[in-house]
Amino acid sequence: QVQLVESGGGLVQPGGSLRLSCAASGFIFSIDTMDWHRQAPGKQRELVATITKGGSTNYADSVKGRFTISRDNAKKTVYLKMNRLKPEDTAVYYCNCPRFSDSWGKGTLVTVAS
């Protein structure tokens, strides 16, 4: 079955950086689009970034220019490099494959605070 395991979250000061990873299994990773989403306390889950099988990317306006999504098909892993973090980036971050939209991992918590 589809499994997604996120890692790399933590506590970081405003202006800092983190790199999140998501290890995927149970499907043919290389042919699928992959997304990163986040859910802040008290808010709905939102789409943050997308990367297609060909490497095309798209970002939410709130993270454009600060976040970079990438993928390593050999490792079946998608990454989210987050720079210039802001307190409003605090959230649980999840990866997802749109073709299996009901399959979610446990997420990884990112807390941006001084």
Side-chain angles (χ1 to χ4, degrees):
Q1 73 274 23
V2 173
Q3 286 194 317
L4 301 165
V5 180
E6 302 91 346
S7 61
L11 173 63
V12 62
Q13 291 186 340
S17 298
L18 281 174
R19 190 180 80 155
L20 308 183
S21 300
C22 169
S25 61
F27 61 103
I28 305 175
F29 179 85
S30 61
I31 67 170
D32 272 301
T33 292
M34 293 295 297
D35 298 333
W36 279 99
H37 299 247
R38 68 184 180 187
Q39 188 165 19
K43 295 188 176 181
Q44 288 190 328
R45 193 171 296 181
E46 62 172 343
L47 177 63
V48 173
T50 297
I51 186 165
T52 67
K53 64 180 181 179
S56 297
T57 59
N58 198 28
Y59 299 93
D61 287 343
S62 58
V63 307
K64 202 170 291 184
R66 299 188 297 122
F67 290 11
T68 303
I69 188 172
S70 61
R71 65 192 297 159
D72 184 331
N73 289 337
K75 295 182 178 179
K76 297 184 180 181
T77 299
V78 60
Y79 303 97
L80 187 68
K81 181 66 188 299
M82 306 184 296
N83 296 324
R84 303 199 310 275
L85 282 160
K86 304 175 181 180
E88 52 263 44
D89 296 318
T90 295
V92 179
Y93 285 72
Y94 303 88
C95 66
N96 181 255
C97 176
R99 190 157 62 96
F100 306 100
S101 59
D102 291 337
S103 296
W104 296 88
K106 295 182 179 181
T108 186
L109 176 63
V110 173
T111 303
V112 185
S114 54

